[in-house]
Amino acid sequence: MYEFARLSPANSYIVPSDPEPPRECDVVVIGAGIVGLAVARELAFRHDGIGVVVLEREPRIAAHQTGRSSGVIHAGIYYAPGSLKARLCVEGARELYAYCGERGIPAKRIGKVIVATRGDELPRLGELERRALANRVPGVERVGPDRLRDLEPRASGVAALYSPHTGVVDFRRVAGAFAEEVVAARGTISSSCGVSALRPDDSGILVEHARGATRARAVVACAGAWSDRLAASAGADTDPRIVPFRGAYMRLRAARRDLVRSNIYPVPDPELPFLGAHFTRTIDGEILLGPSALLVGARDAYELHRIRPRDLADTLGWPGTWRLAAAHWRYGLRELRAVASRRAFVAELRRFVPELRSADVAPGPVGIRAQALGRDGRLVDDFVVSRTARALHVRNAPSPAATSSLPLARLIVDRAEEEIEIT
């Protein structure tokens, strides 16, 4: 029996019986994050008997964005009514709760408040309320200071939106469950298989990887932080490019976890795709504060000092990087200050929980956001898919991709069936 073993909470799932990738199959899925695994699962379920092979560059699945998120199940408040992200998020949250219930994966609707601390934030809060209602997000209500204190006794604000159906889960466990279903459907997941080239011809496509080569009829690439590089090497447009933003969390010390009951978020800046530093109660009861959003010199810069020359050159050589810096330099300076100074980091969050002190926090986990950046300096905040010969490339799968993974996978497979003739 093919099984997945858990490592420590700081890591992801490993594959103790790691099969050699086959020389031939029907479809190769590149990337064993939650999106890639959901796509492989959908393919295996939709096409009985299809040979699906998932190739993962790391020794374990869910090693990057999936395994390093705070685990929030988003309800669908932030997204423009009628947009794909809005529909996928609302559907995805509903389906994810049901899936976790069926699989015995803990998932809790712990709720969230989006707090306005100043009067000038109220119009933006009102817009979020309008979007939530238009998107049919269940249970959302506008609350005043008294009701806010009932929900979060230590929080302070002039008004808030309350979302009772926002929740938390360990997305590594969800990814692990997807992987188990792929294997149960006779699919293969092989790790340490970083893909170096895609070589299509009249009869299929040869996928060259670190453990050899696999010939397939088609490829679906869900390569996360390396998605642009793989797509461009296969002939797709270089726009957009992935630039890495390092998100570092702090965590509340155990004795101070009573400061926060659920999730406390700021009213986000509409010019940026980041939701701002916030408080999140994880599925295991920890309270995370953050994350920061700092542009870094490697696509896996979990240690701040890590620089990879090719990654840095790709970022600095991209015109969009400099246009982004010119447009948002004040935000960048603020993030630098928060990273350099715990006091500054805490001061930003004290707007929402005035009792918070620097002594209450300790270093927490770190993740990398694979942010798609256009040549024009625009931070791409929607799904981007490119097609090359016999391959479909998921170029950008931003939050709430994990929440939306089940309906998103259906959409990706629908498109793959149409454009690269998966049958």
Side-chain angles (χ1 to χ4, degrees):
M1 178 65 182
Y2 192 94
E3 296 179 348
F4 293 85
R6 284 292 299 275
L7 292 177
S8 70
N11 293 295
S12 305
Y13 286 77
I14 61 172
V15 184
S17 176
D18 193 9
E20 198 69 24
R23 293 184 178 181
E24 293 186 0
C25 69
D26 293 311
V27 184
V28 164
V29 176
I30 300 172
I34 196 168
V35 174
L37 291 167
V39 167
R41 171 185 179 273
E42 179 67 20
L43 283 166
F45 284 10
R46 192 180 296 194
H47 299 280
D48 186 36
I50 195 171
V52 179
V53 174
V54 181
L55 301 178
E56 167 56 41
R57 63 179 283 134
E58 303 297 344
R60 59 191 185 274
I61 71 170
H64 292 291
Q65 293 178 109
T66 299
R68 292 175 175 269
S69 78
S70 60
V72 174
I73 302 173
H74 291 284
I77 293 172
Y78 299 101
Y79 316 114
S83 68
L84 183 61
K85 287 181 75 171
R87 178 172 64 83
L88 291 179
C89 187
V90 175
E91 289 180 12
R94 181 175 62 249
E95 292 181 30
L96 183 60
Y97 283 124
Y99 180 83
C100 290
E102 293 166 2
R103 298 284 302 193
I105 299 171
K108 299 178 181 178
R109 292 176 174 85
I110 63 172
K112 172 170 76 174
V113 287
I114 303 172
V115 179
T117 59
R118 305 185 307 266
D120 61 359
E121 294 177 322
L122 292 176
R124 281 187 280 150
L125 190 71
E127 172 61 16
L128 291 180
E129 182 181 19
R130 184 191 73 81
R131 291 186 176 198
L133 293 174
N135 293 338
R136 298 184 178 181
V137 178
V140 171
E141 63 174 302
R142 178 82 166 256
V143 302
D146 292 341
R147 175 68 171 138
L148 174 60
R149 280 191 292 272
D150 289 340
L151 296 167
E152 289 286 354
R154 310 297 182 89
S156 176
V158 296
L161 280 187
Y162 171 49
S163 170
H165 287 270
T166 296
V168 289
V169 71
D170 184 345
F171 281 117
R172 295 168 300 181
R173 291 195 62 177
V174 178
F178 289 170
E180 288 167 358
E181 290 182 297
V182 170
V183 173
R186 299 186 180 178
T188 301
I189 301 173
S190 295
S191 63
S192 302
C193 283
V195 173
S196 55
L198 301 178
R199 303 195 186 280
D201 55 34
D202 291 341
S203 61
I205 183 168
L206 186 68
V207 182
E208 297 181 358
H209 52 76
R211 295 172 66 180
T214 300
R215 174 168 285 278
R217 291 192 290 115
V219 167
V220 181
C222 304
W226 295 269
S227 59
D228 62 328
R229 197 171 285 170
L230 182 61
S233 71
D237 196 336
T238 58
D239 192 357
R241 179 163 294 181
I242 296 296
V243 294
F245 281 84
R246 183 177 187 269
Y249 288 93
M250 303 295 285
R251 55 165 52 96
L252 271 183
R253 298 187 187 279
R256 297 294 280 158
R257 289 179 186 170
D258 62 335
L259 289 176
V260 178
R261 285 183 175 176
S262 57
N263 295 292
I264 303 175
Y265 276 61
V267 179
D269 183 340
E271 298 299 317
L272 294 166
F274 310 116
L275 296 181
H278 48 268
F279 299 82
T280 299
R281 180 174 286 274
T282 68
I283 195 67
D284 58 5
E286 278 205 317
I287 306 294
L288 300 182
L289 295 73
S292 56
L294 185 66
L295 188 64
V296 286
R299 300 186 183 199
D300 58 349
Y302 301 114
E303 293 79 33
L304 189 56
H305 62 272
R306 178 177 293 171
I307 295 175
R308 297 193 184 277
R310 183 180 180 186
D311 292 350
L312 184 60
D314 280 352
T315 296
L316 296 182
W318 186 239
T321 302
W322 301 102
R323 291 174 178 141
L324 174 71
H328 297 292
W329 62 271
R330 288 184 180 86
Y331 177 84
L333 287 177
R334 190 170 76 237
E335 289 298 306
L336 277 172
R337 183 167 175 261
V339 170
S341 166
R342 180 181 299 187
R343 181 174 296 180
F345 186 93
V346 169
E348 178 68 19
L349 289 164
R350 194 180 293 132
R351 292 193 301 127
F352 308 99
V353 180
E355 294 179 45
L356 182 68
R357 297 293 180 266
S358 295
D360 297 334
V361 303
V366 173
I368 299 290
R369 178 181 178 127
Q371 176 64 53
L373 177 63
R375 184 179 292 274
D376 59 1
R378 180 176 57 93
L379 290 162
V380 181
D381 193 29
D382 209 345
F383 301 107
V384 176
V385 178
S386 296
R387 179 187 172 187
T388 62
R390 297 187 178 273
L392 197 70
H393 303 263
V394 180
R395 299 280 296 271
N396 193 46
S399 178
T403 298
S404 307
S405 55
L406 290 167
L408 177 59
R410 291 196 297 272
L411 196 70
I412 292 169
V413 174
D414 286 346
R415 184 159 175 181
E417 290 174 339
E418 293 171 4
E419 298 192 11
I420 56 176
E421 300 179 357
I422 293 176
T423 55

